[in-house]
Amino acid sequence: MKRALITGITGQDGSLLAELLLDKGYTVFGLARQESWYRPNCASHLAGKVEIIFGDVTEGVDIANAVQEAAPDEIYNLASQSRPGESWARAPETLMVNGLAAIRLFEAVRHNRPAARVYHASSSEMFGRQCGSDRQDENTSFNPVNPYAAAKVYAHHMASIYRDSYKLYITSGILFNHESERRPLHFLTQKVAYGAACASLGIVNSPDRNERGRPIVEGGRLALGNLEIARDWGYAPDFVRAMWMILQQEEPEDFVIGTGQLHTLKQLCEAAYQSVGCDWQRCVFSDPVLFRPLEPGHILADPSKAMDLLGWRPTVSFEEMVRRMVQAQIAHLRPLVDSGDV
Ligand code: NAP
């Protein structure tokens, strides 16, 4: 029976990946911060099925301990300060978690478990502002435009340096945006799903609040930033399947994973509100306060290598993903409406 260690198991991808690996018969270990594990998180329902090792990835000793204790065949390094928009305000922490922690992990593998296969979570944010390239693949150069992406670029380069220098099996998956019902509410896609759910249920002032302490939906309207931004958005369960497939390759290689389809935030709003029969233009407005200091360009995946070598394909369409997210938010909010709490 194979053993896997997942950092970031309490997050969206970590919890979905843990389910996938459990289904495949793996013994799954998760590195999690103690305070996170004891509050509701994406992996709470896996308590008793996965083995949790407490630790913080910014502490080298915690990572080394997790690698020794789990003795994994496969390691998935997913822990991250994963909000690019917030990374300006938390730049030093972002560098520690998204950049330096990766080296601590590679060192722990080198000294304690050199035969383990390592998947490292790189990001399409690393491509940043692209000039002249319509689509990005494994050979596209990086041009990060925020602290999150800069830290990811650093870790990405260190992954290949450790792979080549020490002949370790380390791969990076350069994943484009992927969403699911498990996205926290402060992520853009989930905010839109939440806004559409409120519109559908007739909620004018939502019970959940945004980063500024205001109801996410206030006076029947959802505030978003720049509606013209565009992303290659896919469905997270498809993407964690790709992570596993990457580690089953004979040789360690990096892969771009994305749907190859671009949608604007406007289109996201349209799909979400339309799925519940509402008009997004009456319910959403663009607030310049929410614009990022710098936006990546229109980054769009060329996933040809993953499709050819791994046989990977996305299975859930953009519209279906958005519909599922909206329905999950309706299921979350309806009891509050029924009980008269909102
Ligand atoms: P997520 O839901 O935000 O999960 C991040 C995880 O990292 C959480 O479990 C969090 O634990 C953990 N973490 C953060 N700081 C930590 C620390 N100091 N010590 C230990 N654990 C820590 O992110 P995700 O969407 O699942 O993404 C997984 C990985 O893929 C991340 O590396 C992300 O940057 C990358 N990625 C994601 C996307 C995407 O669209 N989802 C796209 C490209 C790349 P707590 O519960 O303690 O906070």
Side-chain angles (χ1 to χ4, degrees):
M1 189 186 284
K2 277 192 182 173
R3 299 161 72 90
L5 170 64
I6 303 173
T7 73
I9 194 166
T10 54
Q12 169 188 267
D13 291 5
S15 60
L16 290 167
L17 178 67
E19 285 171 13
L20 179 92
L21 296 177
L22 287 170
D23 277 354
K24 290 185 181 297
Y26 282 60
T27 303
V28 177
F29 295 81
L31 174 67
R33 292 187 278 198
Q34 193 163 3
E35 66 275 18
S36 306
W37 185 249
Y38 287 127
R39 23 170 224 256
N41 66 74
C42 294
S44 295
H45 62 293
L46 298 177
K49 296 183 182 158
V50 295
E51 303 201 28
I52 297 299
I53 301 168
F54 290 128
D56 189 308
V57 294
T58 60
E59 298 290 343
V61 65
D62 289 355
I63 297 182
N65 174 52
V67 170
Q68 280 169 15
E69 202 177 317
D73 304 293
E74 296 176 8
I75 300 174
Y76 296 86
N77 185 32
L78 310 184
S80 163
Q81 189 300 97
S82 52
R83 296 174 63 191
E86 203 177 295
S87 66
W88 279 274
R90 295 166 63 189
E93 179 199 340
T94 303
L95 175 60
M96 294 288 284
V97 180
N98 298 10
L100 286 177
I103 308 169
R104 299 207 164 101
L105 174 67
F106 303 151
E107 277 296 323
V109 170
R110 180 161 89 91
H111 292 293
N112 300 299
R113 201 73 184 163
R117 296 183 169 197
V118 181
Y119 170 90
H120 172 71
S122 287
S123 165
S124 59
E125 285 276 332
M126 301 189 306
F127 294 124
R129 266 188 195 273
Q130 291 294 322
C131 304
S133 78
D134 293 340
R135 285 171 184 265
Q136 292 78 47
D137 65 16
E138 294 76 8
N139 299 314
T140 307
S141 57
F142 302 131
N143 188 14
V145 294
N146 55 55
Y148 167 92
K152 285 279 183 189
V153 168
Y154 175 71
H156 182 87
H157 285 311
M158 291 307 286
S160 81
I161 289 169
Y162 268 73
R163 174 170 66 214
D164 296 342
S165 306
Y166 300 117
K167 309 296 170 229
L168 297 173
Y169 190 114
I170 300 179
T171 67
S172 293
I174 307 174
L175 269 51
F176 281 62
N177 289 62
H178 46 280
E179 317 296 317
S180 76
E181 298 87 331
R182 294 189 191 179
R183 267 298 204 202
L185 253 184
H186 47 248
F187 276 85
L188 182 59
T189 47
Q190 195 65 284
K191 262 198 192 128
V192 173
Y194 183 87
C198 287
S200 159
L201 294 169
I203 297 173
V204 177
N205 291 308
S206 67
D208 295 284
R209 293 178 176 262
N210 62 23
E211 296 77 2
R212 291 180 291 167
R214 309 294 314 165
I216 293 175
V217 171
E218 194 167 21
R221 298 178 81 210
L222 171 69
L224 297 175
N226 182 353
L227 299 177
E228 302 302 330
I229 62 147
R231 295 283 186 276
D232 178 338
W233 275 298
Y235 192 47
D238 280 336
F239 284 59
V240 301
R241 187 166 39 83
M243 295 176 189
W244 176 79
M245 291 170 108
I246 288 172
L247 280 200
Q248 309 317 305
Q249 294 297 293
E250 195 72 27
E251 296 297 327
E253 286 187 50
D254 298 340
F255 288 89
V256 159
I257 305 292
T259 68
Q261 289 178 11
L262 202 60
H263 291 94
T264 61
L265 180 50
K266 259 187 197 160
Q267 289 171 320
L268 173 67
C269 294
E270 197 175 351
Y273 284 79
Q274 225 169 47
S275 76
V276 287
C278 297
D279 176 6
W280 75 272
Q281 300 198 63
R282 296 165 64 107
C283 307
V284 174
F285 71 102
S286 173
D287 182 349
V289 171
L290 299 175
F291 282 38
R292 284 191 197 176
L294 263 181
E295 274 295 345
H298 284 197
I299 42 178
L300 175 61
D302 175 356
S304 307
K305 181 179 172 188
M307 290 183 166
D308 292 348
L309 289 189
L310 304 177
W312 177 81
R313 299 276 184 286
T315 63
V316 173
S317 71
F318 174 75
E319 289 74 17
E320 173 59 14
M321 173 187 80
V322 174
R323 193 195 64 77
R324 289 184 192 183
M325 291 177 70
V326 174
Q327 288 306 316
Q329 287 302 330
I330 290 177
H332 157 68
L333 287 165
R334 194 185 295 280
L336 301 176
V337 175
D338 290 348
S339 64
D341 287 346
V342 280

